[in-house]
């Protein structure tokens, strides 16, 4: 751990933000005040003028050299206390980032932006009436974001507005996420609710969970019908929702179509079939029977050793076979996920993954960068997994960007995660016209996502203010079986509260 000393006791949230900036350069750092064994020592100054100008300065003295930075920004209004805090955190982040870039020689492409949804910020400025040039100026000056990332954000926002021209009005509808918490085995990097299906089947939990899920779908569907609420998109995730049997899937989709209002108005239904080892001709027939044609078949990598190392328990050949089985059975909107920076993978392995993807030309390709999520097996046993350095990871991201362009894909959504390799991002690419509506609405938080099933989070987005509140269904199937009726009740109360004015209008 890198101990970093600062000259004053900052408020906890300021400290957290500065620690985040330090972590962009040093994987594991801790900011402390007056520590004798600190490796780096920062001296900050900050003040606010009467005309609401914020001034910050930072000096890093190390190895006989001094790295300094000054930053000033004037605001038109005094702002609320909360806004003042945000402004000061940003201004302090600026100077700290600047001196660390000078000292380390590294450049942070995302500047001081800590949020996971950069394009949401772009939409916010757009909705305030700013044009692209105004937004460019703010993202450069206030956030120090690189030209290439600003251009990526702009391209994605434009694409999203082509896909969903009524994006700004989507708050009057909602989307639905349905979580099925089972997988054949657990991948090493996974923190999703993904319980081994075989042992849970033996213990009777799969059937009990499915019984509960039918009830929850019916109850939530009833509320939506009673309140004339249309659904924009539905996403079956988990886990892997194709882990259950074909007849179980069939019965659940029947319940969904019977319970949800105006199924013909739902713009998209996706089923994650992420693990190729769960896909069978019978399950594809069920998907087709219900008109579900957007699925994910996720290779992650096209190197068998990697799949073994991350606990996927399927082979590369199986991914390829199941892709073609799906394609030949008439599935015409297939997403595939790749992960950059998997253990022991470098340029060569990633190039191989891109070459294999080129043969299949899925409608969309989501390129993730590996992130060490706190609760994953990979993070707990970090020493066991050797991953590529920052430079290599950055190069792989460039390869993905070039490859997608050469193969006729466009970027249409992006998000960042904590502890993501190289402080990069995850980008969803697709052939134009094949964008996933759900992926856009969840990333841009333009409407409520109603979560049903295990581990499903409901994100209530206030249609007037954009304010977000959340409710989490239990992750564990055993807990879900015991508590789903309470969860239904609480969510209905929250929905009534959120939409009460609109409903009574
Ligand atoms: S297939 Fe997906 S949900 Fe299942 S364990 Fe792997 S990463 Fe987790």
């Amino acid at each position: 751990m890198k101990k970093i000393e600062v000259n004053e006791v900052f408020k906890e949230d300021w400290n957290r933000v500065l620690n985040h900036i330090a972590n962009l350069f040093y994987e594991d750092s801790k900011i402390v005040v007056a520590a004798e064994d600190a490796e780096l020592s920062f001296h900050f100054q900050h003040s606010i003028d009467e005309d609401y100008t914020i001034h910050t300065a930072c000096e890093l003295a190390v190895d006989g050299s001094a790295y300094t930075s000054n930053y000033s920004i004037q605001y038109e209004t005094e702002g609320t206390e909360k806004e003042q805090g945000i402004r000061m955190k940003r201004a302090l982040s600026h100077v700290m980032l600047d001196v660390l870039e000078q000292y380390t020689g590294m450049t942070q492409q995302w500047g001081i932006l800590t949020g996971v949804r950069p394009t949401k910020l772009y939409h916010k400025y757009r909705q305030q009436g700013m044009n692209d040039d105004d937004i460019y100026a703010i993202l450069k000056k206030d956030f120090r974001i690189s030209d290439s990332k600003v251009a990526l954000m702009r391209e994605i926002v434009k694409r999203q507005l082509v896909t969903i021209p009524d994006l700004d009005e989507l708050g009057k509808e909602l989307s639905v996420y349905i979580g099925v918490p089972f997988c054949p085995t657990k991948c090493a990097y996974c923190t999703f609710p993904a319980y081994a299906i075989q042992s849970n089947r033996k213990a009777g939990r799969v059937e009990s969970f499915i019984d509960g899920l039918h009830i929850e779908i019916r109850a939530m569907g009833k509320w939506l019908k009673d309140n004339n609420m249309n659904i924009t998109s539905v996403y079956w995730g988990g886990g892997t929702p194709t882990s259950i049997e074909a007849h179980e899937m069939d019965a659940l989709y029947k319940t969904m179509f019977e319970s949800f209002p105006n199924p013909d108005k739902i713009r998209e239904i996706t089923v994650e079939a992420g693990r190729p080892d769960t896909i069978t001709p019978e399950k594809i027939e069920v998907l087709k029977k219900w008109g579900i044609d957007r699925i994910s078949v996720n290779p992650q990598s096209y190197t068998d050793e990697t799949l073994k190392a991350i606990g996927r328990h399927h082979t590369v050949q199986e991914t390829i076979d199941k892709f073609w089985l799906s394609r030949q059975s008439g599935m015409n909107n297939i997403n595939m996920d790749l992960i950059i920076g998997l253990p022991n993978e470098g340029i060569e392995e990633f190039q191989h993954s891109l070459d294999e993807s080129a043969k299949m030309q899925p409608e969309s390709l989501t390129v993730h960068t590996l992130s060490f999520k706190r609760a994953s097996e990979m993070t707990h046993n970090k020493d066991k997994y050797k991953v590529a350095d920052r430079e290599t990871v950055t190069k792989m991201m460039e390869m993905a960007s070039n490859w997608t362009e050469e193969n006729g894909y466009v970027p249409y959504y992006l998000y960042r995660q904590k502890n993501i390799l190289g402080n990069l991002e995850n980008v969803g690419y697709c052939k134009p016209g094949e964008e996933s509506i759900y992926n856009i609405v969840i990333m841009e938080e333009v409407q409520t996502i109603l979560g049903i099933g295990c581990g499903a989070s409901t994100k209530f987005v206030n249609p007037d203010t954009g304010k977000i509140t959340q409710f989490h269904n239990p992750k564990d199937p055993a807990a879900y079986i015991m508590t789903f009726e309470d969860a239904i009740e609480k969510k209905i109360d929250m929905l009534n509260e959120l939409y009460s004015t609109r409903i009574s209008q």
Side-chain angles (χ1 to χ4, degrees):
M1 186 207 293
K2 194 125 186 142
K3 253 195 191 171
I4 293 182
E5 184 188 38
V6 291
N7 60 312
E8 68 171 271
V9 183
F10 288 123
K11 288 181 193 163
E12 203 190 315
D13 56 331
W14 295 15
N15 217 49
R16 212 175 20 246
V17 168
L18 294 181
N19 223 126
H20 174 83
I21 298 293
N23 277 336
L24 299 178
F25 298 83
Y26 306 103
E27 223 176 73
D28 193 13
S29 60
K30 185 164 194 265
I31 293 200
V32 286
V33 179
E36 278 176 13
D37 56 346
E39 292 171 68
L40 294 176
S41 190
F42 288 86
H43 190 93
F44 285 96
Q45 286 176 300
H46 52 92
S47 60
I48 309 179
D49 291 346
E50 279 179 1
D51 67 354
Y52 317 127
T53 303
I54 290 182
H55 304 278
T56 53
C58 177
E59 181 177 325
L60 169 65
V62 60
D63 302 332
S65 302
Y67 303 88
T68 58
S69 178
N70 294 288
Y71 177 74
S72 297
I73 181 164
Q74 190 186 8
Y75 289 94
E76 281 169 17
T77 58
E78 186 178 7
T80 60
E81 203 179 321
K82 191 175 166 207
E83 280 164 346
Q84 287 171 14
I86 293 170
R87 291 169 182 178
M88 187 55 85
K89 279 188 280 188
R90 274 193 200 153
L92 288 167
S93 299
H94 257 266
V95 285
M96 187 179 196
L97 187 94
D98 192 13
V99 293
L100 277 168
E101 286 192 340
Q102 292 173 41
Y103 171 55
T104 62
M106 284 186 204
T107 306
Q108 298 296 341
Q109 300 272 328
W110 286 106
I112 63 162
L113 192 72
T114 53
V116 299
R117 296 181 164 79
T119 41
K120 189 179 175 193
L121 189 65
Y122 204 105
H123 280 296
K124 185 180 109 181
Y125 291 135
R126 178 186 63 75
Q127 285 157 346
Q128 287 171 4
M130 293 185 199
N131 64 29
D132 285 337
D133 291 342
D134 299 336
I135 300 172
Y136 172 84
I138 288 198
L139 295 177
K140 293 296 291 180
K141 185 167 183 297
D142 288 9
F143 294 94
R144 300 176 66 100
I145 299 174
S146 73
D147 281 358
S148 65
K149 297 297 179 204
V150 176
L152 177 65
M153 290 161 78
R154 186 187 307 134
E155 187 179 356
I156 288 175
V157 164
K158 295 222 171 331
R159 170 76 28 202
Q160 292 180 341
L161 290 167
V162 170
T163 308
I164 313 177
D166 55 344
L167 188 76
D168 295 342
E169 283 95 52
L170 270 196
K172 61 184 186 305
E173 297 185 358
L174 49 70
S175 284
V176 179
Y177 174 88
I178 304 176
V180 178
F182 304 109
C183 280
T185 54
K186 183 116 180 166
C187 306
Y189 52 84
C190 179
T191 52
F192 297 116
Y195 297 84
I197 187 138
Q198 275 182 6
S199 51
N200 278 281
R201 175 80 71 189
K202 270 188 208 136
R205 279 191 288 269
V206 176
E207 287 76 8
S208 307
F209 162 75
I210 291 173
D211 289 347
L213 189 54
H214 278 281
I215 296 171
E216 200 185 354
I217 291 173
R218 279 195 205 104
M220 300 320 299
K222 180 172 180 329
W223 187 91
L224 296 173
K225 272 185 182 167
D226 289 350
N227 292 286
N228 298 321
M229 186 69 88
N230 278 338
I231 297 172
T232 310
S233 64
V234 179
Y235 193 98
W236 287 76
T240 304
T242 44
S243 304
I244 56 175
E245 297 297 326
H247 68 90
E248 292 168 328
M249 288 165 52
D250 187 38
L252 282 168
Y253 301 153
K254 182 169 188 285
T255 298
M256 169 175 74
F257 277 100
E258 282 171 0
S259 312
F260 285 174
N262 304 319
D264 52 316
K265 290 209 172 124
I266 301 175
R267 302 184 201 187
E268 170 189 279
I269 302 179
T270 301
V271 172
E272 273 273 348
R275 285 284 286 259
D277 42 345
T278 64
I279 300 174
T280 64
E282 296 73 32
K283 292 179 194 175
I284 294 175
E285 279 314 308
V286 171
L287 294 168
K288 279 177 56 191
K289 171 180 163 189
W290 291 103
I292 297 165
D293 71 345
R294 186 171 193 279
I295 59 169
S296 269
V297 182
N298 294 334
Q300 315 298 15
S301 160
Y302 284 88
T303 301
D304 276 322
E305 292 74 35
T306 309
L307 295 181
K308 220 180 274 171
I310 59 174
R312 292 282 289 185
H313 290 247
H314 65 81
T315 61
V316 169
Q317 194 54 49
E318 197 161 10
T319 309
I320 296 170
D321 292 347
K322 295 299 172 61
F323 173 86
W324 287 115
L325 173 71
S326 308
R327 178 64 93 221
Q328 280 149 13
S329 312
M331 304 305 287
N332 59 18
N333 191 347
I334 304 177
N335 171 71
M336 300 186 101
D337 280 3
L338 290 181
I339 302 179
I340 285 176
L342 285 171
N344 303 318
E345 291 217 339
I347 301 285
E348 202 181 309
E349 290 77 12
F350 190 60
Q351 184 59 54
H352 176 62
S353 290
L354 293 175
D355 292 344
E356 288 300 314
S357 305
K359 295 178 196 162
M360 285 175 269
Q361 299 283 332
E363 280 64 33
S364 53
L365 185 80
T366 310
V367 182
H368 297 265
T369 309
L370 184 69
S371 83
F372 281 90
K373 296 177 198 155
R374 224 185 306 156
S376 71
E377 196 279 331
M378 199 173 269
T379 304
H380 290 154
N381 297 298
K382 219 169 172 181
D383 298 345
K384 234 172 77 186
Y385 299 97
K386 194 173 155 288
V387 295
D389 59 24
R390 186 189 176 91
E391 229 169 276
T392 312
V393 171
T394 307
K395 174 93 183 64
M396 290 194 264
M397 187 50 100
E398 277 166 26
M399 287 163 67
S401 168
N402 294 338
W403 181 93
T404 47
E405 204 181 329
E406 283 158 18
N407 283 271
Y409 291 80
V410 287
Y412 78 97
Y413 79 99
L414 91 92
Y415 67 103
R416 304 169 67 220
Q417 282 170 295
K418 277 195 183 143
N419 305 322
I420 195 163
L421 287 182
N423 186 28
L424 288 168
E425 62 273 338
N426 303 317
V427 184
Y429 296 93
C430 67
K431 302 274 186 181
E434 305 288 0
E435 298 78 7
S436 157
I437 288 170
Y438 179 84
N439 285 338
I440 296 174
V441 298
I442 194 169
M443 279 314 143
E444 308 310 337
E445 297 182 318
V446 290
Q447 61 174 189
T448 293
I449 307 275
L450 181 60
I452 298 177
C454 245
S457 297
T458 299
K459 202 177 257 189
F460 299 95
V461 180
N462 186 304
D464 300 317
T465 63
K467 189 170 174 259
I468 290 173
T469 37
Q470 296 205 48
F471 179 85
H472 304 283
N473 276 16
K475 272 189 161 191
D476 178 339
Y480 176 83
I481 294 160
M482 303 295 292
T483 60
F484 73 88
E485 277 153 330
D486 293 344
I488 291 172
E489 216 173 288
K490 283 197 189 117
K491 279 185 290 193
I492 287 181
D493 285 348
M494 291 171 91
L495 285 167
N496 281 333
E497 199 180 319
L498 186 66
Y499 295 102
S500 56
T501 16
R502 298 194 158 229
I503 290 161
S504 58
Q505 274 168 6

